[in-house]
mmCIF file of all heavy atoms in Angstrom:
data_model
loop_
_atom_site.group_PDB
_atom_site.id
_atom_site.type_symbol
_atom_site.label_atom_id
_atom_site.label_comp_id
_atom_site.label_asym_id
_atom_site.label_seq_id
_atom_site.Cartn_x
_atom_site.Cartn_y
_atom_site.Cartn_z
ATOM 1 N N GLN A 352 22.617 -50.145 -2.510
ATOM 2 C CA GLN A 352 21.159 -49.843 -2.648
ATOM 3 C C GLN A 352 20.824 -48.787 -1.704
ATOM 4 O O GLN A 352 20.860 -48.891 -0.506
ATOM 5 C CB GLN A 352 20.366 -51.093 -2.430
ATOM 6 C CG GLN A 352 18.919 -50.976 -2.706
ATOM 7 C CD GLN A 352 18.588 -51.063 -4.160
ATOM 8 O OE1 GLN A 352 19.274 -51.744 -4.849
ATOM 9 N NE2 GLN A 352 17.602 -50.233 -4.639
ATOM 10 N N LEU A 353 20.152 -47.709 -2.278
ATOM 11 C CA LEU A 353 19.614 -46.557 -1.641
ATOM 12 C C LEU A 353 18.133 -46.560 -1.686
ATOM 13 O O LEU A 353 17.608 -46.334 -2.841
ATOM 14 C CB LEU A 353 20.211 -45.271 -1.979
ATOM 15 C CG LEU A 353 19.838 -44.039 -1.265
ATOM 16 C CD1 LEU A 353 20.173 -44.142 0.255
ATOM 17 C CD2 LEU A 353 20.575 -42.776 -1.769
ATOM 18 N N GLU A 354 17.413 -46.881 -0.648
ATOM 19 C CA GLU A 354 15.935 -46.968 -0.768
ATOM 20 C C GLU A 354 15.318 -45.707 -0.082
ATOM 21 O O GLU A 354 15.516 -45.436 1.157
ATOM 22 C CB GLU A 354 15.451 -48.185 -0.023
ATOM 23 C CG GLU A 354 13.895 -48.496 -0.110
ATOM 24 C CD GLU A 354 13.515 -49.866 0.432
ATOM 25 O OE1 GLU A 354 14.185 -50.924 0.115
ATOM 26 O OE2 GLU A 354 12.583 -49.824 1.293
ATOM 27 N N LEU A 355 14.732 -44.884 -0.837
ATOM 28 C CA LEU A 355 14.169 -43.547 -0.442
ATOM 29 C C LEU A 355 12.679 -43.606 -0.154
ATOM 30 O O LEU A 355 11.868 -44.001 -1.112
ATOM 31 C CB LEU A 355 14.475 -42.458 -1.352
ATOM 32 C CG LEU A 355 15.941 -42.359 -1.839
ATOM 33 C CD1 LEU A 355 16.101 -41.246 -2.894
ATOM 34 C CD2 LEU A 355 16.906 -42.100 -0.714
ATOM 35 N N THR A 356 12.252 -43.301 1.093
ATOM 36 C CA THR A 356 10.807 -43.434 1.301
ATOM 37 C C THR A 356 10.478 -42.046 2.082
ATOM 38 O O THR A 356 11.328 -41.261 2.514
ATOM 39 C CB THR A 356 10.460 -44.569 2.184
ATOM 40 O OG1 THR A 356 11.037 -44.371 3.498
ATOM 41 C CG2 THR A 356 10.953 -45.791 1.617
ATOM 42 N N ASN A 357 9.181 -41.856 2.323
ATOM 43 C CA ASN A 357 8.793 -40.712 3.187
ATOM 44 C C ASN A 357 8.601 -41.039 4.662
ATOM 45 O O ASN A 357 8.101 -40.284 5.434
ATOM 46 C CB ASN A 357 7.423 -40.100 2.611
ATOM 47 C CG ASN A 357 6.240 -41.140 2.830
ATOM 48 O OD1 ASN A 357 6.460 -42.364 3.117
ATOM 49 N ND2 ASN A 357 5.070 -40.685 2.617
ATOM 50 N N ASP A 358 9.187 -42.195 5.053
ATOM 51 C CA ASP A 358 9.121 -42.569 6.515
ATOM 52 C C ASP A 358 10.158 -41.707 7.318
ATOM 53 O O ASP A 358 11.401 -41.736 6.953
ATOM 54 C CB ASP A 358 9.507 -44.081 6.701
ATOM 55 C CG ASP A 358 9.284 -44.587 8.065
ATOM 56 O OD1 ASP A 358 8.909 -43.791 8.820
ATOM 57 O OD2 ASP A 358 9.485 -45.711 8.256
ATOM 58 N N ALA A 359 9.637 -40.998 8.301
ATOM 59 C CA ALA A 359 10.531 -40.085 9.095
ATOM 60 C C ALA A 359 11.127 -40.808 10.280
ATOM 61 O O ALA A 359 11.956 -40.190 10.986
ATOM 62 C CB ALA A 359 9.643 -39.009 9.568
ATOM 63 N N LYS A 360 10.866 -42.114 10.600
ATOM 64 C CA LYS A 360 11.331 -42.765 11.643
ATOM 65 C C LYS A 360 12.939 -42.822 11.705
ATOM 66 O O LYS A 360 13.514 -42.727 12.665
ATOM 67 C CB LYS A 360 10.831 -44.151 11.807
ATOM 68 C CG LYS A 360 9.304 -44.286 12.036
ATOM 69 C CD LYS A 360 8.909 -45.698 12.175
ATOM 70 C CE LYS A 360 7.295 -45.607 12.526
ATOM 71 N NZ LYS A 360 6.960 -47.110 12.513
ATOM 72 N N ALA A 361 13.457 -42.994 10.464
ATOM 73 C CA ALA A 361 15.037 -43.121 10.409
ATOM 74 C C ALA A 361 15.622 -41.795 10.747
ATOM 75 O O ALA A 361 16.896 -41.799 11.019
ATOM 76 C CB ALA A 361 15.401 -43.554 8.925
ATOM 77 N N PHE A 362 14.913 -40.757 10.662
ATOM 78 C CA PHE A 362 15.551 -39.451 11.039
ATOM 79 C C PHE A 362 15.259 -38.828 12.419
ATOM 80 O O PHE A 362 15.348 -37.704 12.640
ATOM 81 C CB PHE A 362 15.008 -38.431 9.969
ATOM 82 C CG PHE A 362 15.377 -38.725 8.535
ATOM 83 C CD1 PHE A 362 14.611 -39.646 7.693
ATOM 84 C CD2 PHE A 362 16.540 -38.364 7.966
ATOM 85 C CE1 PHE A 362 14.823 -39.947 6.443
ATOM 86 C CE2 PHE A 362 16.885 -38.679 6.605
ATOM 87 C CZ PHE A 362 16.035 -39.467 5.758
ATOM 88 N N GLU A 363 14.737 -39.705 13.235
ATOM 89 C CA GLU A 363 14.297 -39.279 14.600
ATOM 90 C C GLU A 363 15.450 -38.668 15.465
ATOM 91 O O GLU A 363 15.270 -37.772 16.269
ATOM 92 C CB GLU A 363 13.676 -40.473 15.349
ATOM 93 C CG GLU A 363 12.354 -40.902 14.760
ATOM 94 C CD GLU A 363 11.702 -42.003 15.525
ATOM 95 O OE1 GLU A 363 12.481 -42.594 16.281
ATOM 96 O OE2 GLU A 363 10.543 -42.269 15.266
ATOM 97 N N ASN A 364 16.674 -39.145 15.166
ATOM 98 C CA ASN A 364 17.842 -38.778 15.939
ATOM 99 C C ASN A 364 18.618 -37.651 15.374
ATOM 100 O O ASN A 364 19.742 -37.351 15.687
ATOM 101 C CB ASN A 364 18.751 -39.956 16.205
ATOM 102 C CG ASN A 364 18.052 -41.109 17.036
ATOM 103 O OD1 ASN A 364 17.209 -40.761 17.949
ATOM 104 N ND2 ASN A 364 18.421 -42.276 16.805
ATOM 105 N N THR A 365 18.055 -37.057 14.295
ATOM 106 C CA THR A 365 18.748 -35.987 13.658
ATOM 107 C C THR A 365 17.755 -34.834 13.320
ATOM 108 O O THR A 365 16.550 -35.166 13.028
ATOM 109 C CB THR A 365 19.378 -36.428 12.306
ATOM 110 O OG1 THR A 365 19.934 -35.298 11.610
ATOM 111 C CG2 THR A 365 18.340 -36.990 11.323
ATOM 112 N N GLU A 366 18.155 -33.519 13.532
ATOM 113 C CA GLU A 366 17.285 -32.438 13.325
ATOM 114 C C GLU A 366 17.548 -31.826 11.916
ATOM 115 O O GLU A 366 16.915 -30.820 11.627
ATOM 116 C CB GLU A 366 17.471 -31.504 14.398
ATOM 117 C CG GLU A 366 17.099 -31.944 15.795
ATOM 118 C CD GLU A 366 17.205 -30.822 16.767
ATOM 119 O OE1 GLU A 366 17.665 -29.795 16.481
ATOM 120 O OE2 GLU A 366 16.916 -31.071 18.028
ATOM 121 N N GLN A 367 18.387 -32.404 11.159
ATOM 122 C CA GLN A 367 18.860 -31.815 9.842
ATOM 123 C C GLN A 367 17.586 -31.928 8.846
ATOM 124 O O GLN A 367 17.138 -33.074 8.695
ATOM 125 C CB GLN A 367 19.971 -32.609 9.326
ATOM 126 C CG GLN A 367 20.571 -31.960 7.962
ATOM 127 C CD GLN A 367 21.755 -32.661 7.574
ATOM 128 O OE1 GLN A 367 22.397 -33.478 8.243
ATOM 129 N NE2 GLN A 367 22.106 -32.474 6.265
#
Side-chain angles (χ1 to χ4, degrees):
Q352 185 78 35
L353 183 55
E354 188 173 307
L355 308 179
T356 70
N357 65 346
D358 187 1
K360 292 181 179 179
F362 298 88
E363 290 177 348
N364 297 325
T365 177
E366 296 182 358
Q367 184 178 344

